[in-house]
PDB file of all heavy atoms in Angstrom:
ATOM      1  N   TYR A 346      -7.432  17.705  -8.684  1.00  0.00           N
ATOM      2  CA  TYR A 346      -7.819  17.394 -10.050  1.00  0.00           C
ATOM      3  C   TYR A 346      -9.103  16.578 -10.072  1.00  0.00           C
ATOM      4  O   TYR A 346      -9.232  15.615  -9.319  1.00  0.00           O
ATOM      5  CB  TYR A 346      -6.732  16.590 -10.759  1.00  0.00           C
ATOM      6  CG  TYR A 346      -5.473  17.374 -11.039  1.00  0.00           C
ATOM      7  CD1 TYR A 346      -4.389  17.315 -10.180  1.00  0.00           C
ATOM      8  CD2 TYR A 346      -5.385  18.183 -12.158  1.00  0.00           C
ATOM      9  CE1 TYR A 346      -3.232  18.041 -10.429  1.00  0.00           C
ATOM     10  CE2 TYR A 346      -4.241  18.904 -12.428  1.00  0.00           C
ATOM     11  CZ  TYR A 346      -3.171  18.828 -11.553  1.00  0.00           C
ATOM     12  OH  TYR A 346      -2.042  19.539 -11.807  1.00  0.00           O
ATOM     13  N   PRO A 347     -10.055  16.928 -10.952  1.00  0.00           N
ATOM     14  CA  PRO A 347     -11.225  16.073 -11.138  1.00  0.00           C
ATOM     15  C   PRO A 347     -10.854  14.888 -12.020  1.00  0.00           C
ATOM     16  O   PRO A 347      -9.968  14.994 -12.873  1.00  0.00           O
ATOM     17  CB  PRO A 347     -12.223  16.995 -11.838  1.00  0.00           C
ATOM     18  CG  PRO A 347     -11.353  17.930 -12.613  1.00  0.00           C
ATOM     19  CD  PRO A 347     -10.100  18.117 -11.814  1.00  0.00           C
ATOM     20  N   GLY A 348     -11.505  13.779 -11.810  1.00  0.00           N
ATOM     21  CA  GLY A 348     -11.250  12.610 -12.642  1.00  0.00           C
ATOM     22  C   GLY A 348      -9.969  11.888 -12.339  1.00  0.00           C
ATOM     23  O   GLY A 348      -9.597  10.974 -13.045  1.00  0.00           O
ATOM     24  N   LEU A 349      -9.239  12.295 -11.271  1.00  0.00           N
ATOM     25  CA  LEU A 349      -7.970  11.667 -10.916  1.00  0.00           C
ATOM     26  C   LEU A 349      -7.933  11.386  -9.421  1.00  0.00           C
ATOM     27  O   LEU A 349      -8.671  11.979  -8.647  1.00  0.00           O
ATOM     28  CB  LEU A 349      -6.792  12.584 -11.252  1.00  0.00           C
ATOM     29  CG  LEU A 349      -6.436  12.746 -12.725  1.00  0.00           C
ATOM     30  CD1 LEU A 349      -5.336  13.781 -12.859  1.00  0.00           C
ATOM     31  CD2 LEU A 349      -5.990  11.435 -13.321  1.00  0.00           C
ATOM     32  N   SER A 350      -7.037  10.495  -9.027  1.00  0.00           N
ATOM     33  CA  SER A 350      -6.765  10.292  -7.616  1.00  0.00           C
ATOM     34  C   SER A 350      -5.872  11.421  -7.130  1.00  0.00           C
ATOM     35  O   SER A 350      -4.764  11.594  -7.621  1.00  0.00           O
ATOM     36  CB  SER A 350      -6.068   8.935  -7.381  1.00  0.00           C
ATOM     37  OG  SER A 350      -6.903   7.885  -7.747  1.00  0.00           O
ATOM     38  N   ASN A 351      -6.377  12.201  -6.179  1.00  0.00           N
ATOM     39  CA  ASN A 351      -5.615  13.338  -5.671  1.00  0.00           C
ATOM     40  C   ASN A 351      -4.785  12.946  -4.457  1.00  0.00           C
ATOM     41  O   ASN A 351      -5.265  12.218  -3.582  1.00  0.00           O
ATOM     42  CB  ASN A 351      -6.565  14.477  -5.308  1.00  0.00           C
ATOM     43  CG  ASN A 351      -7.149  15.142  -6.547  1.00  0.00           C
ATOM     44  OD1 ASN A 351      -6.447  15.823  -7.268  1.00  0.00           O
ATOM     45  ND2 ASN A 351      -8.434  14.919  -6.781  1.00  0.00           N
ATOM     46  N   LYS A 352      -3.555  13.425  -4.414  1.00  0.00           N
ATOM     47  CA  LYS A 352      -2.650  13.132  -3.312  1.00  0.00           C
ATOM     48  C   LYS A 352      -2.693  14.262  -2.296  1.00  0.00           C
ATOM     49  O   LYS A 352      -2.549  15.427  -2.654  1.00  0.00           O
ATOM     50  CB  LYS A 352      -1.217  12.970  -3.813  1.00  0.00           C
ATOM     51  CG  LYS A 352      -0.978  11.740  -4.667  1.00  0.00           C
ATOM     52  CD  LYS A 352       0.486  11.661  -5.047  1.00  0.00           C
ATOM     53  CE  LYS A 352       0.772  10.440  -5.888  1.00  0.00           C
ATOM     54  NZ  LYS A 352       2.179  10.350  -6.282  1.00  0.00           N
ATOM     55  N   ILE A 353      -2.892  13.898  -1.047  1.00  0.00           N
ATOM     56  CA  ILE A 353      -2.840  14.857   0.043  1.00  0.00           C
ATOM     57  C   ILE A 353      -1.743  14.423   0.994  1.00  0.00           C
ATOM     58  O   ILE A 353      -1.734  13.286   1.476  1.00  0.00           O
ATOM     59  CB  ILE A 353      -4.190  14.938   0.797  1.00  0.00           C
ATOM     60  CG1 ILE A 353      -5.274  15.517  -0.123  1.00  0.00           C
ATOM     61  CG2 ILE A 353      -4.077  15.825   2.037  1.00  0.00           C
ATOM     62  CD1 ILE A 353      -5.950  14.513  -0.981  1.00  0.00           C
ATOM     63  N   THR A 354      -0.768  15.301   1.233  1.00  0.00           N
ATOM     64  CA  THR A 354       0.368  14.966   2.079  1.00  0.00           C
ATOM     65  C   THR A 354       0.230  15.664   3.419  1.00  0.00           C
ATOM     66  O   THR A 354      -0.065  16.858   3.478  1.00  0.00           O
ATOM     67  CB  THR A 354       1.699  15.406   1.406  1.00  0.00           C
ATOM     68  OG1 THR A 354       1.791  14.763   0.128  1.00  0.00           O
ATOM     69  CG2 THR A 354       2.884  15.004   2.259  1.00  0.00           C
ATOM     70  N   ILE A 355       0.432  14.908   4.500  1.00  0.00           N
ATOM     71  CA  ILE A 355       0.359  15.487   5.831  1.00  0.00           C
ATOM     72  C   ILE A 355       1.605  15.094   6.616  1.00  0.00           C
ATOM     73  O   ILE A 355       2.289  14.128   6.290  1.00  0.00           O
ATOM     74  CB  ILE A 355      -0.901  15.021   6.601  1.00  0.00           C
ATOM     75  CG1 ILE A 355      -0.833  13.519   6.878  1.00  0.00           C
ATOM     76  CG2 ILE A 355      -2.155  15.371   5.877  1.00  0.00           C
ATOM     77  CD1 ILE A 355      -1.933  13.014   7.773  1.00  0.00           C
ATOM     78  N   LYS A 356       1.901  15.875   7.651  1.00  0.00           N
ATOM     79  CA  LYS A 356       2.960  15.537   8.594  1.00  0.00           C
ATOM     80  C   LYS A 356       2.340  15.421   9.975  1.00  0.00           C
ATOM     81  O   LYS A 356       1.697  16.343  10.453  1.00  0.00           O
ATOM     82  CB  LYS A 356       4.071  16.583   8.586  1.00  0.00           C
ATOM     83  CG  LYS A 356       4.976  16.506   7.380  1.00  0.00           C
ATOM     84  CD  LYS A 356       6.170  17.442   7.498  1.00  0.00           C
ATOM     85  CE  LYS A 356       7.104  17.286   6.315  1.00  0.00           C
ATOM     86  NZ  LYS A 356       8.268  18.191   6.410  1.00  0.00           N
ATOM     87  N   VAL A 357       2.536  14.248  10.601  1.00  0.00           N
ATOM     88  CA  VAL A 357       1.950  13.955  11.903  1.00  0.00           C
ATOM     89  C   VAL A 357       3.066  13.842  12.933  1.00  0.00           C
ATOM     90  O   VAL A 357       4.069  13.158  12.691  1.00  0.00           O
ATOM     91  CB  VAL A 357       1.152  12.630  11.859  1.00  0.00           C
ATOM     92  CG1 VAL A 357       0.625  12.290  13.244  1.00  0.00           C
ATOM     93  CG2 VAL A 357       0.006  12.739  10.866  1.00  0.00           C
ATOM     94  N   THR A 358       2.898  14.507  14.069  1.00  0.00           N
ATOM     95  CA  THR A 358       3.825  14.361  15.175  1.00  0.00           C
ATOM     96  C   THR A 358       3.088  13.753  16.363  1.00  0.00           C
ATOM     97  O   THR A 358       2.010  14.233  16.739  1.00  0.00           O
ATOM     98  CB  THR A 358       4.432  15.720  15.594  1.00  0.00           C
ATOM     99  OG1 THR A 358       5.177  16.237  14.499  1.00  0.00           O
ATOM    100  CG2 THR A 358       5.360  15.542  16.785  1.00  0.00           C
ATOM    101  N   THR A 359       3.642  12.686  16.913  1.00  0.00           N
ATOM    102  CA  THR A 359       3.029  12.032  18.065  1.00  0.00           C
ATOM    103  C   THR A 359       4.123  11.550  18.996  1.00  0.00           C
ATOM    104  O   THR A 359       5.269  11.350  18.580  1.00  0.00           O
ATOM    105  CB  THR A 359       2.132  10.852  17.640  1.00  0.00           C
ATOM    106  OG1 THR A 359       1.509  10.287  18.779  1.00  0.00           O
ATOM    107  CG2 THR A 359       2.943   9.769  16.944  1.00  0.00           C
TER     108      THR A 359
END
Side-chain angles (χ1 to χ4, degrees):
Y346 291 96
L349 287 175
S350 296
N351 288 290
K352 292 183 179 179
I353 294 86
T354 302
I355 65 173
K356 284 188 177 180
V357 176
T358 298
T359 183

